[in-house]
Amino acid sequence: MAPKFQKLPGTLDVLPAESWKWQYAEEQMRTVAGLFGYREIRLPTFESTELYQRGVGEGTDVVSKEMYTFEDKGGRSCTLRPEGTAGVVRAVLENGLLAASPLPLKSYYIESHFRYERAQKGRYREHHQFGIECFGTHAPEADAEVIAVADMLLRRIGLGEYASLEVNSIGCPACRPAYNQALRAYFGAREGELCDTCKGRLQTNPLRLLDCKEEACQAIAKDAPSMLEYLCEDCAGHFAAVQALLAEAGIAFVVNPRIVRGLDYYTNTVFEFVASGIGAQGTVCGGGRYDGLIGELGGAPTPAVGFGMGVERLLMLVEEAGKLPPAPDGPLLYAVAADEAGRAAARKLVAGLRAKGYAAEYDIVQRSVKAQMKAAARLGAHFTVVLGEAEVQGGSAKFKNMQEEGEVPFLLDSAAEALEMALFRKTARQFGGRLKREVAPGTLDPLQQCFLE
RNA sequence: GUGGGUAUAGCUCAGGUGGUUAGAGUGUCAGGUUGUGGCCCUGAAGGCCGUGGGUUCGAGUCCCACUACCCACCCCA
């Protein structure tokens, strides 16, 4: 029975039952970004089409055939952002941030990107990306730091052994032309064996031949001259320094001379974190240096590095690896009402707990006691209490622990405080005294926090 | 843009060679226990079988088109 309205191809619903996974991932992203001093930037979802044409590059697939472009009522050509960097650069320049703030300028974002392409596992038309950008330094330490952010996030989220880092350098305007020349000479000699798209790219962008997935092309590319042999002195030194810094930081990597990025703005360092388990889309995170982009978009030439990380892909990997944390706790109390008097008492008790900052629920569908108990169990409530005429008269009720055995009588007037105490004890047992050292600051709620102090 | 596969209940799926009231499991709701969850039992609700054509006396079943989804290419996160 096809519903009247269905979501558009390549879009995704994140339903209430699983939104906590997204919140968890985003929380980790914000935490790690914060540890490295990156601050959030929030930008418009659409920009002028020209920004992307100039920024990402007319020759890229993203710009030439994947953009959601429309004309608004004022006759402007607008485009739903297909990637994050161009918009960040625009905002940084428009607001004069490079002049007004101390360098480096570090920012991060978590936002939707839109690309019109055929959806498949791990690839969507609207996908979410966590990205960071670091402006104003050409030092290799910046490259290493940007990579370290991605590495730390992947480790914290449980993917340390599942995603591997590949790095490369694609040179700068000083050394790239010579390399392109060498590639043309090498591939040109065997042009007949190349696939059609590669034949075309031979002139326009020979770098991309290295990236072709065609078997025949790969076989040829295997022995192609490496960019690394053509790097100018500056680029070679920079790349060597980046590698040394990564090694020093204990971040494992392999140099893969065949990684090239699909966006035109990259220079020097490029990198990808790749993993298996999300279909054919192995790249969870991709990025690199883009020293030419700011100038291209009208700013004073400024070096920059950054990366983008696919949130959907990240979550797929985390689930695949079985590294998701347990689902969040249910309410502290579900107050079951047996009659009208009990209903009023339940409302009061629940309101009191909520005011203290604890999740608590009662039945708002007027169901039977049994159905309310079922609802409480399904929600994962820690405690239930059945309230009716008798309890209201007597002023006390038995609170049932839903997760262990046992019923405890509490006075209704002080039930909220009693439940707080019960939660204290539970927390104490769960975490024990070593908690302080093992748990990162900010991951505990205020109650757990004060228990520790 | 290209190729392959799929489309039946909220979800996962059965429904040889076309035949009359379309099934299971699970989930939902209710009852068995007139005030107590998880196990068990019973019942109910929930389907113009993706959409539109065609073949046929008759189509969930065969044919065509469309659409969507899945997988892959391309590209990218």
Side-chain angles (χ1 to χ4, degrees), chain A residues 198-240:
Chain A
C198 284
K199 279 177 190 156
R201 290 201 279 231
L202 200 49
Q203 288 315 311
T204 55
N205 191 357
L207 250 194
R208 295 214 56 85
L209 296 233
L210 298 176
D211 204 28
C212 185
K213 306 295 190 296
E214 285 291 326
E215 220 170 289
C217 301
Q218 277 202 354
I220 303 173
K222 201 159 75 70
D223 299 315
S226 164
M227 177 75 227
L228 301 177
E229 297 157 16
Y230 287 80
L231 291 178
C232 61
E233 206 173 312
D234 283 352
C235 288
H238 185 269
F239 190 43

Side-chain angles (χ1 to χ4, degrees), chain A residues 26 39 145 205 295 389 401 448:
Chain A
E26 287 167 9
R39 299 225 237 153
E145 183 179 276
N205 191 357
E389 196 66 48
N401 187 330
Q448 293 169 328

Side-chain angles (χ1 to χ4, degrees), chain A residues 327-401:
Chain A
D329 280 357
L332 178 58
L333 175 75
Y334 191 106
V336 173
D339 52 36
E340 276 313 307
R343 204 167 282 286
R347 275 197 297 274
K348 189 177 165 197
L349 187 51
V350 164
L353 279 166
R354 287 174 178 164
K356 283 177 173 295
Y358 298 106
E361 299 210 44
Y362 73 103
D363 169 62
I364 56 170
V365 224
Q366 305 200 341
R367 283 188 289 204
S368 68
V369 168
K370 178 175 177 166
Q372 291 179 58
M373 288 301 294
K374 267 180 103 161
R378 201 174 35 217
L379 290 170
H382 286 76
F383 292 93
T384 51
V385 62
V386 178
L387 298 172
E389 196 66 48
E391 284 78 11
V392 174
Q393 293 295 313
S396 81
K398 284 179 182 154
F399 286 73
K400 181 172 182 175
N401 187 330

Side-chain angles (χ1 to χ4, degrees), chain A residues 152-173:
Chain A
M152 185 177 195
L153 176 59
L154 291 170
R155 280 179 208 265
R156 278 180 64 124
I157 214 156
L159 263 24
E161 317 132 49
Y162 298 88
S164 56
L165 171 63
E166 302 187 355
V167 297
N168 189 24
S169 174
I170 57 173
C172 67

Side-chain angles (χ1 to χ4, degrees), chain A residues 42-64:
Chain A
R42 297 196 185 205
L43 299 169
T45 305
F46 57 95
E47 300 267 4
S48 78
T49 301
E50 201 193 340
L51 173 66
Y52 299 116
Q53 290 171 335
R54 293 284 298 278
V56 181
E58 295 270 18
T60 61
D61 284 9
V62 170
V63 169
S64 64

